[in-house]
mmCIF file of all heavy atoms in Angstrom:
data_model
loop_
_atom_site.group_PDB
_atom_site.id
_atom_site.type_symbol
_atom_site.label_atom_id
_atom_site.label_comp_id
_atom_site.label_asym_id
_atom_site.label_seq_id
_atom_site.Cartn_x
_atom_site.Cartn_y
_atom_site.Cartn_z
ATOM 1 N N GLU A 38 -11.723 -8.845 -19.770
ATOM 2 C CA GLU A 38 -10.960 -9.398 -18.683
ATOM 3 C C GLU A 38 -9.613 -9.029 -18.671
ATOM 4 O O GLU A 38 -8.843 -9.281 -19.587
ATOM 5 C CB GLU A 38 -11.083 -10.913 -18.620
ATOM 6 C CG GLU A 38 -10.432 -11.584 -17.514
ATOM 7 C CD GLU A 38 -11.081 -11.328 -16.198
ATOM 8 O OE1 GLU A 38 -12.267 -11.206 -16.114
ATOM 9 O OE2 GLU A 38 -10.293 -11.215 -15.259
ATOM 10 N N PRO A 39 -9.033 -8.155 -17.688
ATOM 11 C CA PRO A 39 -7.723 -7.615 -17.678
ATOM 12 C C PRO A 39 -6.664 -8.613 -17.823
ATOM 13 O O PRO A 39 -5.661 -8.572 -18.431
ATOM 14 C CB PRO A 39 -7.568 -6.744 -16.475
ATOM 15 C CG PRO A 39 -9.011 -6.545 -15.970
ATOM 16 C CD PRO A 39 -9.843 -7.593 -16.543
ATOM 17 N N ARG A 40 -6.750 -9.727 -16.918
ATOM 18 C CA ARG A 40 -5.743 -10.763 -16.915
ATOM 19 C C ARG A 40 -5.564 -11.423 -18.280
ATOM 20 O O ARG A 40 -4.350 -11.630 -18.752
ATOM 21 C CB ARG A 40 -6.153 -11.839 -15.858
ATOM 22 C CG ARG A 40 -5.077 -12.835 -15.745
ATOM 23 C CD ARG A 40 -5.350 -13.756 -14.457
ATOM 24 N NE ARG A 40 -4.156 -14.691 -14.423
ATOM 25 C CZ ARG A 40 -4.267 -15.903 -13.964
ATOM 26 N NH1 ARG A 40 -5.382 -16.300 -13.411
ATOM 27 N NH2 ARG A 40 -3.250 -16.590 -13.835
ATOM 28 N N ILE A 41 -6.620 -11.722 -18.918
ATOM 29 C CA ILE A 41 -6.443 -12.413 -20.279
ATOM 30 C C ILE A 41 -5.823 -11.414 -21.217
ATOM 31 O O ILE A 41 -4.996 -11.738 -22.045
ATOM 32 C CB ILE A 41 -7.827 -12.851 -20.740
ATOM 33 C CG1 ILE A 41 -8.440 -14.070 -19.865
ATOM 34 C CG2 ILE A 41 -7.800 -13.310 -22.209
ATOM 35 C CD1 ILE A 41 -9.708 -14.461 -20.118
ATOM 36 N N ARG A 42 -6.339 -10.161 -21.187
ATOM 37 C CA ARG A 42 -5.844 -9.076 -22.036
ATOM 38 C C ARG A 42 -4.200 -8.937 -21.860
ATOM 39 O O ARG A 42 -3.418 -8.890 -22.863
ATOM 40 C CB ARG A 42 -6.507 -7.782 -21.816
ATOM 41 C CG ARG A 42 -6.117 -6.683 -22.775
ATOM 42 C CD ARG A 42 -6.809 -5.372 -22.679
ATOM 43 N NE ARG A 42 -6.689 -4.856 -21.274
ATOM 44 C CZ ARG A 42 -7.699 -4.583 -20.425
ATOM 45 N NH1 ARG A 42 -8.937 -4.910 -20.749
ATOM 46 N NH2 ARG A 42 -7.439 -4.136 -19.238
ATOM 47 N N PHE A 43 -3.779 -8.962 -20.574
ATOM 48 C CA PHE A 43 -2.320 -8.759 -20.312
ATOM 49 C C PHE A 43 -1.528 -10.013 -20.772
ATOM 50 O O PHE A 43 -0.432 -9.844 -21.298
ATOM 51 C CB PHE A 43 -2.089 -8.421 -18.855
ATOM 52 C CG PHE A 43 -2.649 -7.094 -18.577
ATOM 53 C CD1 PHE A 43 -3.363 -6.930 -17.361
ATOM 54 C CD2 PHE A 43 -2.296 -5.941 -19.282
ATOM 55 C CE1 PHE A 43 -3.857 -5.663 -17.011
ATOM 56 C CE2 PHE A 43 -2.738 -4.639 -18.941
ATOM 57 C CZ PHE A 43 -3.531 -4.504 -17.772
ATOM 58 N N ILE A 44 -2.142 -11.186 -20.588
ATOM 59 C CA ILE A 44 -1.429 -12.410 -21.081
ATOM 60 C C ILE A 44 -1.246 -12.370 -22.606
ATOM 61 O O ILE A 44 -0.193 -12.606 -23.142
ATOM 62 C CB ILE A 44 -2.210 -13.637 -20.656
ATOM 63 C CG1 ILE A 44 -2.112 -13.791 -19.139
ATOM 64 C CG2 ILE A 44 -1.683 -14.953 -21.335
ATOM 65 C CD1 ILE A 44 -2.928 -14.927 -18.549
ATOM 66 N N ILE A 45 -2.304 -11.979 -23.341
ATOM 67 C CA ILE A 45 -2.212 -11.935 -24.772
ATOM 68 C C ILE A 45 -1.264 -10.797 -25.225
ATOM 69 O O ILE A 45 -0.338 -10.993 -26.094
ATOM 70 C CB ILE A 45 -3.647 -11.645 -25.361
ATOM 71 C CG1 ILE A 45 -4.513 -12.865 -25.130
ATOM 72 C CG2 ILE A 45 -3.456 -11.328 -26.928
ATOM 73 C CD1 ILE A 45 -5.925 -12.584 -25.548
ATOM 74 N N GLN A 46 -1.257 -9.665 -24.524
ATOM 75 C CA GLN A 46 -0.303 -8.599 -24.752
ATOM 76 C C GLN A 46 1.192 -9.100 -24.638
ATOM 77 O O GLN A 46 2.088 -8.790 -25.286
ATOM 78 C CB GLN A 46 -0.531 -7.330 -24.003
ATOM 79 C CG GLN A 46 -1.726 -6.565 -24.375
ATOM 80 C CD GLN A 46 -1.961 -5.369 -23.481
ATOM 81 O OE1 GLN A 46 -1.551 -5.416 -22.281
ATOM 82 N NE2 GLN A 46 -2.720 -4.425 -24.025
ATOM 83 N N ASP A 47 1.396 -9.852 -23.487
ATOM 84 C CA ASP A 47 2.711 -10.390 -23.253
ATOM 85 C C ASP A 47 3.208 -11.321 -24.436
ATOM 86 O O ASP A 47 4.453 -11.296 -24.823
ATOM 87 C CB ASP A 47 2.789 -11.172 -21.952
ATOM 88 C CG ASP A 47 2.686 -10.333 -20.704
ATOM 89 O OD1 ASP A 47 2.884 -9.102 -20.857
ATOM 90 O OD2 ASP A 47 2.442 -10.817 -19.628
ATOM 91 N N VAL A 48 2.281 -12.146 -24.923
ATOM 92 C CA VAL A 48 2.711 -12.961 -26.058
ATOM 93 C C VAL A 48 2.990 -12.172 -27.268
ATOM 94 O O VAL A 48 3.992 -12.419 -27.955
ATOM 95 C CB VAL A 48 1.547 -14.001 -26.338
ATOM 96 C CG1 VAL A 48 1.869 -14.843 -27.537
ATOM 97 C CG2 VAL A 48 1.426 -14.956 -25.184
ATOM 98 N N ILE A 49 2.185 -11.191 -27.553
ATOM 99 C CA ILE A 49 2.537 -10.251 -28.657
ATOM 100 C C ILE A 49 3.846 -9.649 -28.545
ATOM 101 O O ILE A 49 4.666 -9.501 -29.451
ATOM 102 C CB ILE A 49 1.367 -9.276 -28.890
ATOM 103 C CG1 ILE A 49 -0.011 -10.080 -29.299
ATOM 104 C CG2 ILE A 49 1.665 -8.213 -29.940
ATOM 105 C CD1 ILE A 49 -1.244 -9.188 -29.257
ATOM 106 N N GLU A 50 4.140 -9.009 -27.373
ATOM 107 C CA GLU A 50 5.353 -8.397 -27.037
ATOM 108 C C GLU A 50 6.534 -9.290 -27.266
ATOM 109 O O GLU A 50 7.577 -8.958 -27.703
ATOM 110 C CB GLU A 50 5.389 -7.721 -25.760
ATOM 111 C CG GLU A 50 4.554 -6.530 -25.614
ATOM 112 C CD GLU A 50 4.360 -6.061 -24.208
ATOM 113 O OE1 GLU A 50 5.017 -6.665 -23.328
ATOM 114 O OE2 GLU A 50 3.578 -5.041 -24.009
ATOM 115 N N LEU A 51 6.349 -10.636 -26.824
ATOM 116 C CA LEU A 51 7.406 -11.619 -26.879
ATOM 117 C C LEU A 51 7.739 -11.818 -28.362
ATOM 118 O O LEU A 51 8.908 -11.974 -28.645
ATOM 119 C CB LEU A 51 6.952 -12.875 -26.176
ATOM 120 C CG LEU A 51 7.903 -14.036 -26.058
ATOM 121 C CD1 LEU A 51 9.165 -13.458 -25.199
ATOM 122 C CD2 LEU A 51 7.379 -15.159 -25.322
ATOM 123 N N ARG A 52 6.831 -11.978 -29.141
ATOM 124 C CA ARG A 52 6.980 -12.136 -30.630
ATOM 125 C C ARG A 52 7.732 -10.928 -31.300
ATOM 126 O O ARG A 52 8.700 -11.066 -31.993
ATOM 127 C CB ARG A 52 5.705 -12.268 -31.396
ATOM 128 C CG ARG A 52 6.001 -12.602 -32.865
ATOM 129 C CD ARG A 52 4.762 -12.932 -33.631
ATOM 130 N NE ARG A 52 5.061 -13.396 -34.966
ATOM 131 C CZ ARG A 52 4.427 -12.982 -36.121
ATOM 132 N NH1 ARG A 52 3.381 -12.266 -36.006
ATOM 133 N NH2 ARG A 52 4.810 -13.566 -37.274
ATOM 134 N N ASN A 53 7.306 -9.677 -30.841
ATOM 135 C CA ASN A 53 8.004 -8.506 -31.311
ATOM 136 C C ASN A 53 9.428 -8.382 -30.916
ATOM 137 O O ASN A 53 10.306 -7.746 -31.606
ATOM 138 C CB ASN A 53 7.305 -7.212 -30.811
ATOM 139 C CG ASN A 53 5.866 -7.120 -31.546
ATOM 140 O OD1 ASN A 53 5.601 -7.581 -32.466
ATOM 141 N ND2 ASN A 53 4.999 -6.426 -30.853
ATOM 142 N N ARG A 54 9.824 -9.047 -29.770
ATOM 143 C CA ARG A 54 11.197 -9.126 -29.343
ATOM 144 C C ARG A 54 11.997 -10.248 -29.858
ATOM 145 O O ARG A 54 12.986 -10.764 -29.326
ATOM 146 C CB ARG A 54 11.260 -9.053 -27.785
ATOM 147 C CG ARG A 54 10.932 -7.811 -27.136
ATOM 148 C CD ARG A 54 11.215 -7.789 -25.672
ATOM 149 N NE ARG A 54 10.670 -8.965 -25.090
ATOM 150 C CZ ARG A 54 9.494 -8.925 -24.352
ATOM 151 N NH1 ARG A 54 8.692 -7.807 -24.420
ATOM 152 N NH2 ARG A 54 8.966 -10.026 -23.668
ATOM 153 N N ASN A 55 11.417 -10.935 -30.880
ATOM 154 C CA ASN A 55 12.003 -12.162 -31.533
ATOM 155 C C ASN A 55 12.175 -13.267 -30.529
ATOM 156 O O ASN A 55 13.086 -14.048 -30.518
ATOM 157 C CB ASN A 55 13.342 -11.844 -32.094
ATOM 158 C CG ASN A 55 13.283 -10.902 -33.181
ATOM 159 O OD1 ASN A 55 12.329 -11.044 -34.122
ATOM 160 N ND2 ASN A 55 14.155 -9.998 -33.365
ATOM 161 N N TRP A 56 11.088 -13.480 -29.672
ATOM 162 C CA TRP A 56 10.956 -14.512 -28.736
ATOM 163 C C TRP A 56 12.028 -14.515 -27.681
ATOM 164 O O TRP A 56 12.340 -15.557 -27.078
ATOM 165 C CB TRP A 56 10.866 -15.912 -29.495
ATOM 166 C CG TRP A 56 9.744 -15.923 -30.466
ATOM 167 C CD1 TRP A 56 9.864 -15.790 -31.810
ATOM 168 C CD2 TRP A 56 8.393 -16.015 -30.202
ATOM 169 N NE1 TRP A 56 8.617 -15.854 -32.386
ATOM 170 C CE2 TRP A 56 7.608 -16.016 -31.322
ATOM 171 C CE3 TRP A 56 7.608 -16.159 -28.956
ATOM 172 C CZ2 TRP A 56 6.310 -16.055 -31.435
ATOM 173 C CZ3 TRP A 56 6.265 -16.285 -29.017
ATOM 174 C CH2 TRP A 56 5.645 -16.145 -30.308
ATOM 175 N N ILE A 57 12.549 -13.328 -27.368
ATOM 176 C CA ILE A 57 13.534 -13.272 -26.197
ATOM 177 C C ILE A 57 12.714 -12.677 -25.050
ATOM 178 O O ILE A 57 12.251 -11.651 -25.088
ATOM 179 C CB ILE A 57 14.692 -12.315 -26.620
ATOM 180 C CG1 ILE A 57 15.426 -12.866 -27.838
ATOM 181 C CG2 ILE A 57 15.663 -12.082 -25.470
ATOM 182 C CD1 ILE A 57 16.446 -11.927 -28.412
ATOM 183 N N PRO A 58 12.680 -13.468 -23.986
ATOM 184 C CA PRO A 58 11.870 -13.021 -22.707
ATOM 185 C C PRO A 58 12.641 -11.858 -22.136
ATOM 186 O O PRO A 58 13.717 -11.584 -22.316
ATOM 187 C CB PRO A 58 12.036 -14.203 -21.791
ATOM 188 C CG PRO A 58 13.026 -15.101 -22.289
ATOM 189 C CD PRO A 58 13.322 -14.715 -23.726
ATOM 190 N N ARG A 59 11.734 -10.996 -21.428
ATOM 191 C CA ARG A 59 12.146 -9.743 -20.699
ATOM 192 C C ARG A 59 13.243 -10.110 -19.715
ATOM 193 O O ARG A 59 14.220 -9.453 -19.559
ATOM 194 C CB ARG A 59 10.960 -9.016 -20.106
ATOM 195 C CG ARG A 59 10.240 -8.243 -20.981
ATOM 196 C CD ARG A 59 9.187 -7.453 -20.256
ATOM 197 N NE ARG A 59 8.135 -8.342 -20.052
ATOM 198 C CZ ARG A 59 6.965 -8.060 -19.386
ATOM 199 N NH1 ARG A 59 6.846 -6.837 -18.780
ATOM 200 N NH2 ARG A 59 5.993 -8.913 -19.176
ATOM 201 N N LYS A 60 13.024 -11.145 -18.911
ATOM 202 C CA LYS A 60 14.037 -11.569 -17.969
ATOM 203 C C LYS A 60 14.016 -13.132 -17.959
ATOM 204 O O LYS A 60 13.108 -13.804 -18.341
ATOM 205 C CB LYS A 60 13.695 -10.996 -16.539
ATOM 206 C CG LYS A 60 12.369 -11.258 -16.066
ATOM 207 C CD LYS A 60 12.160 -10.600 -14.703
ATOM 208 C CE LYS A 60 10.646 -10.655 -14.303
ATOM 209 N NZ LYS A 60 10.457 -9.980 -13.055
ATOM 210 N N GLU A 61 15.173 -13.624 -17.540
ATOM 211 C CA GLU A 61 15.244 -15.145 -17.527
ATOM 212 C C GLU A 61 14.314 -15.662 -16.474
ATOM 213 O O GLU A 61 13.977 -15.062 -15.439
ATOM 214 C CB GLU A 61 16.705 -15.403 -17.118
ATOM 215 C CG GLU A 61 17.774 -15.072 -18.106
ATOM 216 C CD GLU A 61 19.133 -15.447 -17.729
ATOM 217 O OE1 GLU A 61 19.246 -16.421 -16.790
ATOM 218 O OE2 GLU A 61 20.077 -14.734 -18.156
ATOM 219 N N SER A 62 13.913 -16.875 -16.801
ATOM 220 C CA SER A 62 13.031 -17.476 -15.830
ATOM 221 C C SER A 62 13.733 -17.919 -14.533
ATOM 222 O O SER A 62 14.856 -18.270 -14.541
ATOM 223 C CB SER A 62 12.437 -18.876 -16.492
ATOM 224 O OG SER A 62 13.537 -19.717 -16.689
ATOM 225 N N ALA A 63 13.125 -17.548 -13.439
ATOM 226 C CA ALA A 63 13.736 -17.720 -12.163
ATOM 227 C C ALA A 63 13.414 -19.062 -11.591
ATOM 228 O O ALA A 63 12.279 -19.288 -11.171
ATOM 229 C CB ALA A 63 13.206 -16.571 -11.146
#
Side-chain angles (χ1 to χ4, degrees):
E38 181 64 36
R40 182 168 184 211
I41 295 172
R42 183 174 62 238
F43 291 130
I44 291 172
I45 295 171
Q46 283 177 338
D47 287 344
V48 173
I49 293 170
E50 289 173 5
L51 190 59
R52 184 181 190 217
N53 291 338
R54 286 190 309 269
N55 295 321
W56 302 103
I57 299 172
R59 279 186 279 177
K60 53 185 170 181
E61 295 180 24
S62 61

